[in-house]
Amino acid sequence: MAVDDTGSDEYSEAVDLDELRAEGRALTAVDGTPIALFYHEGEVRAVNNRCPHMGFPLTEGSVDEGVLTCHWHHARFELSCGDTFDPWADDVDTYPTEIREGTVYVSPAPRRSDPPAVHWRERLDDGLEQNLRLVLGKSAVALTDAGVDPAEVVERGVTFGVRNRADGWSSGLTILVALANRLPDLDDQDRKRALYQGLTEVAGDCDGEAPKFEQEAFAATDVSFERLRSWFRENVEVRDADGAERVLRTAVAAGYGPEKLTELLVVAATDHRYLDTGHTFDFVNKATEALDLVGWDDEERTAEVLSSLVRGLATADRAEETSSWRQPDDLAAMCEESFARLDDLVAAGEGETWTEPDDFTERLHAADPETVFDVLEEAIENGATVEQLASAVSFAAAKRVALFATSNEFNDWNTVHHTFTFANAVHRAAERTDATALYRGVFDAAVNVYLDRFLNTPPAPEATGDPDADPEAALESLRMAFEQQGKVQQAGDAVADYLAAGGDPDRLKAELGNALLVEDTGFHTFQAYEAACRQFDAREDPEERRDCLVAAARYMAAHYPTRRSREQTFSIAARLLRGERVHGDADDDAGADESSPEASADD
């Protein structure tokens, strides 16, 4: 029999050796930690009694040939060291033992001594690699509790995502960055939920996908930026993703910073109209925002993140190839005519200061496309910057969502949503670069605002808000709207009432964020929340700010409630890390499907 002869006085008396030998197992507690003791093959072994997967008592498991098996989900552990056979389960802590005069003593210190942050960083990587939601939930909670900067967690998710999906940047990474942008709006527990939700989306996007293999930068890095931009556009134009990636990596290696690299991307992204219903440009924006979060200073990281966009740029569907942009009005041709005048319009506006007219949104909502093009050209000629014009068009797009008529087909929510999130992305890019070519993105957004006009015909009743409303009652009405299907108008009215009555906007954004994060939220709803909050923050006019959050609330209410299976997994993770009992709950059958190890770790 192995005996620990350290003689430490810190060991705690546990059980009579003969009793343990006769029973085969025993349960004790050392400094509040439940310890399972096993007598197996002539050896005394001690492990934490709580299965690291979901907390089931391991004394109710079985031991055979040195393998301890939990009977709840059949997680298996090597008994002497605690290592698991099943990565979804995690390793179990083991403890040194001593035999003194026929009595077993147990050390309170587990053999593993890694700090929690070190362990959970490793488990975060495991969860991403194997798409294990419960592991990702535990990691998000434990790393936050250990004081790890959320930016580090986001960086690990972004790095994994751009390296492990050959097709490059997609919805999962967009969700992770969108939620990371809004972390300051959320309370402590919802920040953990946001990291968990974002990480699970990245893992799901990469699950089963081929990894991305990098192209190399050219050896010649002294090429002018203008030539690199021309090369990049040409390679994207002919759909040569590999060639475009080499050019982009060369621009990074040449030392160009965020403004120039953004220009390189957005010029190519606006050479054609409204790529992939706006997703391509939004991905460009989110990739640059990811680097804002984790830093542009690392050349290789910057190249990895930005090169993940190239395949999407090269393969995207181009809106001018669709009938809606060609019939009955040739909107694509009208765009090209305006673009041919862009340089002259910008030159005419130099030295001018543009102030948005009171009727600008109304004119952008006109039923005649000529009116829309005229108002944009007039604004540029009068000195409107890309950022100013993108901001104005973003609000016009948000207003379409705020007034979306529920008599339309349900899928048409995404039509107005895509216009809004695309316009928001153009606005964000305009804060980073003032490249003249970015006006083309503003025109694309405005054309879609025009095309979406039928979805406000007739418009939904406008939520203007009651200044005499009770803010607390308005919040409760908002919560109830998310608990019942189809309460779209109720949700919008509740937001308007809350703000009109002087409610705290920060609290409202936090409430909306919580509603977002407890549901099985889809890609577009994450986008809607983030874009609406950002447009809210970018505005001063109270009515415009109101309409942005009304738009988010109405869109969310149209898609809620859901089954909330992801929240069930997060709740389990949080409770386990607090040391709470999970197994044996009365509501087990109402939650995630736990019929298999994979399901319980992944639902």
Side-chain angles (χ1 to χ4, degrees), residues 335-365:
C335 282
E336 292 305 320
E337 291 171 5
S338 290
F339 298 163
R341 294 190 288 271
L342 262 182
D343 288 340
D344 291 339
L345 294 170
V346 172
E350 286 186 9
E352 301 291 330
T353 300
W354 181 73
T355 301
E356 182 180 334
D358 291 340
D359 64 347
F360 199 73
T361 300
E362 181 181 346
R363 293 176 70 189
L364 286 174
H365 283 182

Side-chain angles (χ1 to χ4, degrees), residues 544-598:
E544 290 187 2
R545 285 160 65 89
R546 175 201 69 203
D547 287 346
C548 290
L549 294 189
V550 165
R554 296 184 82 245
Y555 188 91
M556 291 167 66
H559 294 80
Y560 293 160
T562 65
R563 186 184 175 198
R564 301 177 183 172
S565 62
R566 276 182 270 172
E567 173 63 12
Q568 171 76 359
T569 300
F570 177 81
S571 175
I572 289 170
R575 292 170 62 192
L576 286 169
L577 289 169
R578 290 195 299 265
E580 296 178 9
R581 176 187 171 105
V582 173
H583 71 281
D585 286 355
D587 62 350
D588 274 351
D589 291 339
D593 178 7
E594 297 168 352
S595 60
S596 70
E598 292 79 7

Side-chain angles (χ1 to χ4, degrees), residues 3-80:
V3 178
D4 188 326
D5 292 321
T6 63
S8 170
D9 291 334
E10 295 180 358
Y11 280 56
S12 297
E13 182 177 342
V15 67
D16 180 82
L17 177 60
D18 289 337
E19 291 181 10
L20 179 61
R21 185 184 291 115
E23 296 294 329
R25 68 193 63 202
L27 177 64
T28 189
V30 178
D31 291 351
T33 300
I35 304 293
L37 290 158
F38 295 93
Y39 186 86
H40 179 64
E41 296 179 343
E43 305 282 352
V44 175
R45 305 295 187 191
V47 304
N48 190 307
N49 191 49
R50 300 178 79 246
C51 176
H53 178 220
M54 290 184 68
F56 192 77
L58 291 176
T59 50
E60 296 186 27
S62 58
V63 178
D64 184 48
E65 293 188 343
V67 178
L68 169 62
T69 300
C70 175
H71 282 191
W72 197 4
H73 298 102
H74 308 286
R76 297 163 300 150
F77 308 93
E78 203 286 331
L79 184 59
S80 66

Side-chain angles (χ1 to χ4, degrees), residues 469-591:
D470 176 0
E472 292 302 318
L475 280 185
E476 183 59 26
S477 178
L478 178 64
R479 296 185 194 109
M480 292 306 298
F482 294 144
E483 294 290 338
Q484 305 171 70
Q485 290 185 341
K487 298 298 182 180
V488 171
Q489 195 63 37
Q490 178 178 326
D493 288 341
V495 165
D497 285 347
Y498 180 81
L499 292 173
D504 180 7
D506 290 339
R507 185 179 176 194
L508 177 58
K509 287 188 287 184
E511 288 281 349
L512 289 169
N514 175 259
L516 180 88
L517 293 165
V518 300
E519 300 283 353
D520 291 341
T521 296
F523 171 42
H524 293 141
T525 314
F526 284 116
Q527 286 182 298
Y529 169 76
E530 193 249 357
C533 287
R534 188 186 169 280
Q535 288 299 318
F536 178 93
D537 293 343
R539 299 182 182 283
E540 296 181 358
D541 181 89
E543 292 186 5
E544 290 187 2
R545 285 160 65 89
R546 175 201 69 203
D547 287 346
C548 290
L549 294 189
V550 165
R554 296 184 82 245
Y555 188 91
M556 291 167 66
H559 294 80
Y560 293 160
T562 65
R563 186 184 175 198
R564 301 177 183 172
S565 62
R566 276 182 270 172
E567 173 63 12
Q568 171 76 359
T569 300
F570 177 81
S571 175
I572 289 170
R575 292 170 62 192
L576 286 169
L577 289 169
R578 290 195 299 265
E580 296 178 9
R581 176 187 171 105
V582 173
H583 71 281
D585 286 355
D587 62 350
D588 274 351
D589 291 339

Side-chain angles (χ1 to χ4, degrees), residues 160-202:
F160 177 85
V162 298
R163 289 178 178 174
N164 290 280
R165 190 172 186 275
D167 286 340
W169 194 281
S170 189
S171 58
L173 285 167
T174 299
I175 291 168
L176 176 62
V177 176
L179 292 175
N181 286 341
R182 304 319 309 180
L183 288 179
D185 295 328
L186 307 174
D187 66 24
D188 290 343
Q189 192 72 350
D190 282 340
R191 291 189 187 107
K192 299 171 186 176
R193 282 189 175 93
L195 293 173
Y196 157 69
Q197 289 268 22
L199 292 167
T200 58
E201 294 288 349
V202 171

Side-chain angles (χ1 to χ4, degrees), residues 237-296:
E237 177 67 29
V238 299
R239 301 187 184 274
D240 182 358
D242 292 338
E245 181 175 342
R246 296 202 73 178
V247 175
L248 176 58
R249 284 182 172 271
T250 303
V252 175
Y256 291 107
E259 181 178 352
K260 286 297 186 184
L261 293 173
T262 301
E263 179 181 342
L264 189 78
L265 291 162
V266 301
V267 170
T270 55
D271 276 338
H272 292 278
R273 312 280 55 80
Y274 197 48
L275 299 178
D276 275 348
T277 61
H279 287 122
T280 300
F281 197 102
D282 192 51
F283 291 174
V284 168
N285 179 52
K286 281 294 173 285
T288 57
E289 288 180 344
L291 289 170
D292 289 342
L293 292 166
V294 305
W296 291 77

